[in-house]
């Protein structure tokens, strides 16, 4: 649910009063253009626009309130001012983003993979973060097919093979399917572990029984050996008695 436009905003409200009214309901930080992260700020600006329900007529005026220092001077120096947030975002990122940032992000995107023991949702979060940064700088840089292929290619081998067998057409379907395969794999591993534990216990019990039987046999042989040793002694004693009455 969107936050409503401030009630004190009307068509006759002066720009400065309108901006001050917006300031009361947004959490957007100031942007100076010095050491600020331009991408992070523009993402926060988009969130503020949506949350505060700013319309296209008021968006640029509202955002100007948050530009200070170098950023404010940059905007004032523009010969042709942007008339929409889309145009503002484009020239803003072109000016304040590092020219090498897009190349760096592209490199990260091309090699991103799901880590060992990393959940599919966590992998997708990292994947989506890099993708959004690229698209914020250059919209429509990738096709849907390219994004889908890159996500699938980065999945762990077991899930990758299963997902590739399906003819998917959207990233959402790929993420959902990968999560389903991950859950099934975890359940199978759990069942295997339980069976191993049960069989392992049975093996231990069998070994204990076997050792117990061997020990019993050794004791019986020992007792039998003791009896045999004792009997000749008696016979010898009897012979002595017969020899010397």
């Amino acid at each position: 649910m969107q936050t409503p436009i401030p009630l004190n905003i009307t068509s006759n409200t002066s720009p400065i009063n309108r901006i001050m009214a917006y300031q009361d309901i947004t959490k957007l930080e100031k942007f100076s253009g010095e050491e600020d992260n331009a991408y992070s700020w523009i993402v926060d600006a988009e969130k503020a626009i949506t949350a505060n329900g700013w319309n296209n007529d008021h968006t640029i005026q509202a955002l100007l309130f948050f530009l200070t220092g170098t950023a404010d001077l940059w905007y004032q120096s523009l010969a042709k001012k942007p008339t929409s947030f889309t145009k503002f975002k484009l020239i803003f990122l072109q000016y304040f983003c590092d020219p090498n940032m897009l190349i760096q992000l592209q490199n990260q995107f091309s090699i991103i993979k799901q880590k060992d023991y990393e959940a599919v949702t966590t992998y997708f979060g990292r994947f989506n973060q890099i993708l959004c940064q690229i698209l914020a700088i250059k919209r429509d840089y990738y096709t849907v097919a390219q994004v889908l292929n890159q996500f699938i290619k980065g999945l762990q081998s077991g899930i990758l093979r299963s997902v590739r067998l399906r003819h998917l057409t959207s990233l959402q379907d790929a993420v959902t399917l990968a999560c389903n395969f991950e859950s099934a794999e975890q359940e199978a591993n759990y069942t295997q572990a339980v069976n191993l534990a049960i069989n392992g216990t049975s093996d231990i019990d069998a070994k204990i029984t076997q050792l117990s039987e061997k020990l019993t046999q050794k004791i019986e042989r020992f007792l039998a050996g003791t009896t045999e040793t004792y009997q000749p002694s008696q016979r010898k004693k009897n012979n002595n008695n017969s020899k010397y009455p």
Side-chain angles (χ1 to χ4, degrees):
M1 182 177 179
Q2 293 184 348
T3 304
I5 300 295
L7 296 178
N8 57 335
I9 293 287
T10 66
S11 59
N12 296 324
T13 303
S14 66
I16 187 62
N17 288 335
R18 182 181 296 115
I19 293 171
M20 293 303 292
Y22 280 128
Q23 184 189 20
D24 295 335
I25 61 173
T26 184
K27 300 297 182 182
L28 188 62
E29 299 292 334
K30 300 280 188 177
F31 182 84
S32 66
E34 299 295 335
E35 298 180 357
D36 310 270
N37 186 312
Y39 167 75
S40 296
W41 187 85
I42 207 69
V43 169
D44 290 341
E46 288 180 312
K47 293 178 181 178
I49 292 169
T50 301
N52 296 333
W54 296 349
N55 58 39
N56 195 53
D57 294 334
H58 300 155
T59 295
I60 301 300
Q61 293 179 344
L63 291 179
L64 293 182
F65 177 81
F66 299 96
L67 299 182
T68 63
T70 302
D72 181 54
L73 293 175
W74 160 78
Y75 184 83
Q76 299 304 330
S77 67
L78 293 176
K80 187 176 181 180
K81 302 292 192 293
T83 56
S84 67
F85 176 73
T86 301
K87 293 179 180 179
F88 174 87
K89 175 181 174 180
L90 178 63
I91 62 175
F92 176 87
L93 290 175
Q94 286 177 344
Y95 187 85
F96 288 105
C97 279
D98 183 349
N100 296 321
M101 179 179 289
L102 181 59
I103 297 175
Q104 295 173 3
L105 291 171
Q106 289 170 342
N107 292 336
Q108 293 177 27
F109 190 70
S110 65
I111 62 173
I112 188 169
K113 292 184 179 298
Q114 184 182 7
K115 300 177 182 178
D116 292 339
Y117 308 107
E118 182 181 36
V120 171
T121 51
T122 305
Y123 161 60
F124 173 68
R126 295 190 298 109
F127 178 91
N128 192 53
Q129 183 179 22
I130 298 175
L131 177 62
C132 287
Q133 292 183 52
I134 294 174
L135 298 182
I137 298 174
K138 196 168 184 180
R139 184 178 293 274
D140 299 328
Y141 187 80
Y142 295 111
T143 64
V144 174
Q146 288 175 324
V147 172
L148 178 61
N149 180 67
Q150 186 61 43
F151 173 78
I152 295 176
K153 186 172 70 173
L155 290 168
Q156 291 179 1
S157 58
I159 302 176
L160 169 63
R161 288 191 295 269
S162 300
V163 173
R164 270 187 170 171
L165 294 174
R166 308 296 181 91
H167 299 288
L168 303 175
T169 57
S170 73
L171 181 60
Q172 182 178 355
D173 290 343
V175 174
T176 301
L177 186 61
C179 288
N180 291 339
F181 280 124
E182 180 182 55
S183 298
E185 187 178 60
Q186 290 173 347
E187 184 176 351
N189 290 338
Y190 174 77
T191 302
Q192 183 179 4
V194 171
N195 291 334
L196 180 62
I198 294 174
N199 294 333
T201 303
S202 300
D203 291 343
I204 293 174
D205 291 340
K207 289 181 180 179
I208 291 175
T209 302
Q210 185 179 9
L211 289 174
S212 178
E213 291 175 351
K214 287 183 178 180
L215 180 60
T216 301
Q217 292 172 1
K218 286 184 177 180
I219 293 174
E220 290 175 349
R221 283 197 299 269
F222 174 77
L223 293 175
T226 302
T227 303
E228 292 173 0
T229 304
Y230 176 75
Q231 288 175 349
S233 170
Q234 286 292 98
R235 287 198 297 270
K236 184 177 182 181
K237 183 177 180 181
N238 292 335
N239 291 336
N240 291 337
N241 290 337
S242 62
K243 190 175 182 180
Y244 299 100

